[in-house]
Amino acid sequence: MLHNLSKNSSVINHYLAEIRDAKKQVDRLRFRSNIRRCGEMIAYELSKTLKYKSVEVETPLGVAKSEVLDQSVVIASILRAGLPFHQGFLNVFDEADNAFISAYRKHHKDGTFEIDLQYLTCPPLEDRVLILSDAMLATGASIQKTLQNLESYGKPSKVHIATIIASVDGIKYIRRLYPNAVIWACAVDEELTARSYIVPGLGDAGDLAFGEKLQE
Ligand code: URA
C-alpha cells in the first residue's frame, strides 16, 4: 500500500515546497527542521494505523477513559539524511527503540553503483512495528539491502517504509519485493537521472542537511 501525502492539501506540501526550493534549501537549519516536521506528520498519520488499548487515567479531578499504544515500535533510519527525519518519528513515538544503518552508494566508473552497508545497530524486531525511514526512495536499493540485513533480527508484525520523496520506479521496485510493506511518501516524482537522483526531487538530501562530502 502507498500513502502519498501530497495528494491532500496540508501543511506538509508547504514544508515540501521549502525543502525542494533551491533558494530556500540552502538554509540548513530550516531544511533539517522541515525534514523533521515531515517525519512528525507522517508519524502522526501512521499512528492512526496502529493498535491501542483502553486505559483509565487518574486526572487531578477524576478518572478519564483513554487509549494508549498497544504495539512496540522500532524506528530504523538510513544515515545520514535520515537523521532529522528519524528525529521527527522519535518525537512522536518517543518510547520507540531505534536502529541505525549506514548505507551509501559506492559508484563504479561506468556510472553504476552498489550499496555498501557498513554499520547496523538494531534491537530485536520480532512481532514489532518496524518503521524504516529513508529520506529519499530513489531506486529502492538501500531499502532492499537494509531489509535483507535486518532479517536476522526477527520478523516484524508490520513494516512501514517512510520517505520524503519517492520515485515511481523506486516504489514499483519495493512493492514487488515487499508487497506487504506500507509505503509513506510526502511526494512521488516521476523521473530518475542517469545517476539515480530523483527529478525534480530536491538534490542531495544528505549534503543539504549536513554539508557536502569529499567522497562521491
Ligand atoms: N538521494 C538523494 O539525496 N537525492 C536523490 O535524489 C536520490 C537519493
Side-chain angles (χ1 to χ4, degrees):
M1 179 184 281
L2 167 69
H3 296 274
N4 176 357
L5 300 184
S6 63
K7 285 223 160 139
N8 296 317
S9 292
S10 83
V11 76
I12 292 185
N13 289 333
H14 184 97
Y15 301 153
L16 200 54
E18 290 193 351
I19 285 171
R20 287 183 188 271
D21 187 325
K23 290 199 190 80
K24 293 197 174 145
Q25 59 179 202
V26 290
D27 177 352
R28 277 188 207 162
L29 183 61
R30 177 165 285 274
F31 184 80
R32 288 193 300 268
S33 146
N34 279 328
I35 288 199
R36 192 199 66 241
R37 296 198 283 187
C38 284
E40 289 165 352
M41 304 272 154
I42 297 179
Y44 173 66
E45 291 300 322
L46 192 158
S47 77
K48 297 177 189 171
T49 70
L50 300 181
K51 291 188 185 126
Y52 295 82
K53 65 179 175 205
S54 301
V55 289
E56 292 194 338
V57 178
E58 270 186 49
T59 78
L61 298 176
V63 176
K65 288 191 192 311
S66 193
E67 279 191 338
V68 291
L69 206 50
D70 196 23
Q71 283 184 297
S72 172
V73 174
V74 177
I75 308 165
S77 287
I78 301 178
L79 303 173
R80 66 194 159 131
L83 280 175
F85 203 33
H86 186 102
Q87 189 57 51
F89 284 91
L90 195 52
N91 287 349
V92 174
F93 299 115
D94 48 90
E95 290 179 1
D97 278 350
N98 299 270
F100 292 97
I101 302 101
S102 97
Y104 82 102
R105 291 174 173 185
K106 199 170 175 179
H107 286 277
H108 302 302
K109 288 204 177 96
D110 62 3
T112 60
F113 65 85
E114 61 185 292
I115 303 297
D116 198 356
L117 193 151
Q118 291 187 332
Y119 173 81
L120 192 155
T121 178
C122 185
L125 294 177
E126 191 68 31
D127 239 358
R128 304 176 81 184
V129 176
L130 173 65
I131 303 173
L132 175 55
S133 93
D134 188 2
M136 304 293 277
L137 197 177
T139 61
S142 315
I143 286 177
Q144 179 190 10
K145 184 94 177 187
T146 300
L147 286 175
Q148 274 170 356
N149 279 268
L150 290 180
E151 271 169 19
S152 56
Y153 291 82
K155 191 174 182 326
S157 57
K158 193 81 202 164
V159 176
H160 296 267
I161 295 167
T163 187
I164 308 277
I165 304 178
S167 77
V168 170
D169 286 352
I171 287 174
K172 270 194 208 141
Y173 187 71
I174 292 299
R175 282 175 123 178
R176 191 170 50 76
L177 290 175
Y178 305 101
N180 296 325
V182 182
I183 303 175
W184 300 82
C186 294
V188 177
D189 285 2
E190 292 292 328
E191 272 180 63
L192 280 179
T193 66
R195 286 179 74 78
S196 299
Y197 273 81
I198 299 175
V199 181
L202 56 80
D204 189 306
D207 284 2
L208 287 162
F210 299 112
E212 281 180 26
K213 56 198 169 294
L214 193 56
Q215 156 273 326
E216 231 314 87

